[in-house]
Amino acid sequence: RKKMGLLLLLIICQCAINSIKTHSVSKPSIILLMADDLGIGDLGCYGNRTLRTPNIDKLAEEGVTLTQHIAASPLCTPSRAAFLTGRYPIRSGMAAFSRVGVFLFSASSGGLPSEEITFSKLLKQKGYATALIGKWHLGMNCESSNDFCHHPLSHGFDYFYGLPVTNFRDCKPGQGSVFLKGVQKGLVIPIQITGIALVSLAVVQYIGLLKVPFQALGYFLLIITISLVVLIFFFYHFRQLNCFLMRDHQIIQQPLSYENLTQRLTKEAMQFIERNTGTPFLLVLSYLHVHTALYASENFKGKSKHGLYGDAVEEMDWSVGQVLDVLEKHNLSDKSLVYFTSDQGAHVEEISSAGEVHGGYNGIYKGGKSTNWEGGIRVPGLLRWPGVVQAGAYIDEPTSNMDIFPTIVQLADAQLPSDRIIDGHDLLPLLQGKVTQSKHEFLFHYCNAYLNAVRWHPGNSQSVWKVFFFTPNFSPEDSNGCYDSHVCFCHGGFITRHDPPLLFDLSRDPEEKVPLTPETESRFHEILRVVHQAVDNHTRSLRAVPNQLSWGNLLWKPWLQLCCSSLFQSCYCDYESGGSPLQVHLG
């Protein structure tokens, strides 16, 4: 009887332990850390030997390093839309047919559609506390300045503290402008046409060939004058109108101050974790680092070997360490999945007006942000979950930032949507070593809304084929980017089309140096045939949706402008400093 009782007790204990394990594995807390424009070669765990990133490297040591982790787009807005929804941005209308592929203004009407299902919505339905801290860049309002149809709180987040758009050079005085050159180029021809038209009208009026009503001429001049005044006003006040900090729906600092900004974001993240130690939570900490304008606090400024860019990377690493420390402090490390990545590759064309390199390092990979060369889309991918995910493992299979959606949705015991295509795949079997091959046989690489390249990893081969239908024209021609235009574009005279397409085998040529030919690759035509068939199948799966990045949705609309005071007061307010909320907040 004693033996039977002991055996029964052991069985009960084992069942309890299994139940606890099942519960913890099924509903862990989720911490998603996303850098902005970070190069894969900027981290120690990916081979960098001069920048100090011990906390991010610790994630690699204690978890899995994905060495072929691919961003769904080489630009911020579409990449982040894909990350949140697990779907190619073309499916949600978050891919542009025009030259501009991201939101530039806080008062644009485009954004992540309310019909899209984000992982934050699904986790919130499962009882998770959810927060987004840092950069959003997926729209704000639709029809009025307070409908917040695209706001993080409308997409499943309980709490938001951060920037609604992004970190522009224009946001930091003395750092130059990303718009000035483009505006100057764009205005030259219209001004010339207007001038020629006015002179011509004056001449034909003078010689009597045509009678132009002075009233019509007056209206024309009035329209031109008003347009120029609005344009000048907007760009003169760009910083106040677009660079501001919000808490939930309230602006708390306009314009944004960079003083102790990373510390403030980090403190918010730590406090959110501490408020939710007893419940599963989802924290997306979306860093402003290392998008320009670069910045670093006094504790980090001038401390790295790579100027202000290196200082910013090392400050971000410090922040990651603070988040990991608070998890450890509250015994949450073993109950939490931590993911670190970048939204796309480093922006190699970023050079300051003083000539200092402000862009990152993409290692051996070609190109950078805005291109689908490997340097633009191959990003860090680190996942740690002690006791569940392999420690110190490297996985060289193609994976995508879209894979996070199905991975964490299934961990939260939520159901994947059945009414739409989800392009991501659950990573957990790969991370646990239960399978050795990624479910991504094909990955489709879009440049804005244009299918640029396709990656094919056959199940029976080590090869990873990559086919380019067009490539950007680098400027200068022998450089590694589009320095003359600051970013590369996706159509017209900015690209070169290839027929037949360019073919690379990334398993042998990860630097994409030498395109294969029928003479150097016997299966050349067979590979192209399979890829074209995959493209046909993929294209048939697409549905027409409203274009969120059309010119109508991109342009600044004064009635959508968020302003914490009034336009006559230059939209100024600061509830973070001055009256000491910031001092109290930072302790």
Side-chain angles (χ1 to χ4, degrees):
R1 283 185 184 175
K2 284 184 178 178
K3 285 183 178 179
M4 287 293 290
L6 186 59
L7 183 61
L8 185 61
L9 184 62
L10 286 171
I11 291 170
I12 292 170
C13 288
Q14 188 62 45
C15 288
I17 290 167
N18 288 340
S19 174
I20 292 167
K21 281 184 177 178
T22 302
H23 177 75
S24 64
V25 168
S26 64
K27 294 193 80 170
S29 290
I30 310 289
I31 299 93
L32 308 177
L33 308 169
M34 179 172 277
D36 196 352
D37 292 1
L38 181 74
I40 194 170
D42 287 327
L43 302 176
C45 52
Y46 284 95
N48 193 295
R49 295 292 172 263
T50 51
L51 282 174
R52 295 167 295 185
T53 56
N55 297 297
I56 298 172
D57 297 345
K58 183 182 178 185
L59 287 175
E61 292 164 12
E62 298 177 354
V64 169
T65 301
L66 303 175
T67 60
Q68 200 178 159
H69 195 47
I70 307 301
S73 170
L75 285 175
C76 305
T77 293
S79 176
R80 290 162 185 268
F83 171 64
L84 279 169
T85 63
R87 289 152 52 83
Y88 289 110
I90 190 77
R91 298 194 192 278
S92 58
M94 297 293 279
F97 288 93
S98 63
R99 188 185 302 184
V100 179
V102 300
F103 295 115
L104 301 175
F105 313 126
S106 65
S108 296
S109 57
L112 188 63
S114 57
E115 298 81 16
E116 287 299 311
I117 297 175
T118 60
F119 54 62
S120 43
K121 281 183 182 176
L122 295 177
L123 267 64
K124 183 176 181 178
Q125 290 170 7
K126 283 294 180 177
Y128 274 68
T130 57
L132 174 74
I133 293 168
K135 169 177 168 172
W136 175 235
H137 211 182
L138 292 172
M140 190 56 47
N141 293 305
C142 290
E143 296 178 356
S144 69
S145 61
N146 61 359
D147 64 36
F148 299 114
C149 63
H150 302 307
H151 189 282
L153 268 59
S154 299
H155 281 290
F157 291 102
D158 299 319
Y159 182 68
F160 172 58
Y161 176 91
L163 271 71
V165 193
T166 188
N167 176 27
F168 294 110
R169 280 189 177 276
D170 305 67
C171 294
K172 191 178 180 189
Q175 293 295 307
S177 172
V178 297
F179 296 106
L180 201 54
K181 187 184 288 187
V183 169
Q184 287 170 342
K185 283 183 178 179
L187 285 179
V188 167
I189 292 176
I191 288 173
Q192 287 176 342
I193 291 171
T194 303
I196 292 168
L198 287 172
V199 170
S200 301
L201 284 172
V203 170
V204 296
Q205 175 91 356
Y206 179 74
I207 63 178
L209 287 177
L210 181 69
K211 292 293 181 183
V212 181
F214 281 103
Q215 190 176 11
L217 193 61
Y219 281 134
F220 178 72
L221 288 172
L222 181 64
I223 290 168
I224 294 296
T225 302
I226 291 172
S227 299
L228 285 172
V229 167
V230 169
L231 196 65
I232 290 166
F233 171 85
F234 176 76
F235 283 102
Y236 183 76
H237 292 282
F238 181 91
R239 180 169 169 246
Q240 287 90 337
L241 298 178
N242 295 285
C243 311
F244 52 83
L245 191 65
M246 296 184 78
R247 177 176 280 114
D248 293 334
H249 291 139
Q250 181 186 3
I251 296 175
I252 56 175
Q253 193 173 59
Q254 190 172 15
L256 170 74
S257 168
Y258 286 87
E259 185 178 359
N260 294 322
L261 182 54
T262 301
Q263 282 83 349
R264 284 183 272 160
L265 295 172
T266 306
K267 190 76 171 178
E268 288 283 342
M270 295 168 68
Q271 289 179 339
F272 173 77
I273 293 170
E274 288 175 331
R275 289 196 301 270
N276 293 286
T277 55
T279 186
F281 62 82
L282 165 70
L283 168 64
V284 180
L285 178 50
S286 177
Y287 289 103
L288 276 62
H289 287 321
V290 280
H291 196 293
T292 52
L294 294 179
Y295 68 96
S297 63
E298 289 303 318
N299 288 340
F300 295 91
K301 198 176 291 182
K303 302 295 174 63
S304 79
K305 294 180 180 179
H306 291 281
L308 189 54
Y309 182 89
D311 300 343
V313 172
E314 293 186 359
E315 182 171 49
M316 178 173 61
D317 180 78
W318 164 84
S319 173
V320 171
Q322 295 296 296
V323 172
L324 297 182
D325 286 349
V326 78
L327 291 176
E328 190 66 34
K329 175 183 173 184
H330 294 284
N331 299 314
L332 296 173
S333 296
D334 293 346
K335 304 171 188 174
S336 304
L337 174 66
V338 180
Y339 169 69
F340 179 90
T341 193
S342 178
D343 55 356
Q344 65 263 326
H347 193 171
V348 296
E349 296 94 344
E350 277 289 5
I351 298 173
S352 74
S353 55
E356 182 180 351
V357 174
H358 277 191
Y361 177 53
N362 291 317
I364 65 170
Y365 303 111
K366 186 175 183 175
K369 177 179 178 174
S370 80
T371 82
N372 281 302
W373 294 112
E374 289 297 284
I377 54 175
R378 194 181 288 224
V379 293
L382 305 171
L383 294 106
R384 187 195 78 168
W385 187 1
V388 179
V389 166
Q390 302 173 83
Y394 288 82
I395 295 174
D396 193 33
E397 288 288 299
T399 58
S400 168
N401 64 351
M402 297 184 291
D403 296 337
I404 297 304
F405 179 97
T407 303
I408 65 174
V409 165
Q410 293 183 155
L411 286 173
D413 288 340
Q415 292 295 314
L416 289 174
S418 58
D419 63 342
R420 63 198 64 203
I421 292 173
I422 301 298
D423 297 297
H425 295 293
D426 184 4
L427 285 172
L428 200 60
L430 202 60
L431 300 176
Q432 293 182 305
K434 293 179 179 178
V435 300
T436 57
Q437 185 147 3
S438 165
K439 290 182 181 178
H440 287 290
E441 183 180 1
F442 297 97
L443 280 169
F444 301 93
H445 305 305
Y446 279 85
C447 185
N448 288 352
Y450 303 97
L451 185 58
N452 184 184
V454 178
R455 192 186 222 89
W456 177 33
H457 183 36
N460 59 352
S461 171
Q462 293 298 312
S463 292
V464 179
W465 307 107
K466 189 174 178 187
V467 172
F468 275 96
F469 303 113
F470 64 84
T471 51
N473 298 330
F474 285 169
S475 55
E477 196 172 322
D478 59 348
S479 69
N480 189 40
C482 301
Y483 290 85
D484 293 346
S485 53
H486 191 65
V487 292
C488 297
F489 298 117
C490 304
H491 62 281
F494 299 102
I495 63 169
T496 297
R497 297 194 177 276
H498 302 287
D499 187 15
L502 298 185
L503 174 65
F504 298 92
D505 182 359
L506 298 177
S507 68
R508 291 179 287 167
D509 181 18
E511 299 169 67
E512 298 169 296
K513 281 186 174 180
V514 184
L516 298 170
T517 65
E519 290 72 36
T520 58
E521 176 50 62
S522 61
R523 292 162 294 173
F524 184 88
H525 294 293
E526 179 195 346
I527 293 163
L528 292 187
R529 181 186 59 76
V530 172
V531 167
H532 280 300
Q533 183 61 56
V535 169
D536 288 343
N537 294 339
H538 168 70
T539 304
R540 281 197 295 270
S541 77
L542 302 177
R543 300 290 178 266
V545 292
N547 182 5
Q548 298 297 322
L549 287 154
S550 65
W551 282 115
N553 280 326
L554 281 172
L555 291 175
W556 178 61
K557 297 178 173 64
W559 58 92
L560 298 183
Q561 183 61 56
L562 290 169
C563 185
C564 63
S565 53
S566 72
L567 288 174
F568 299 105
Q569 295 173 296
S570 297
C571 291
Y572 176 83
C573 66
D574 190 353
Y575 302 112
E576 282 277 275
S577 54
S580 112
L582 175 58
Q583 294 166 8
V584 172
H585 183 64
L586 289 176

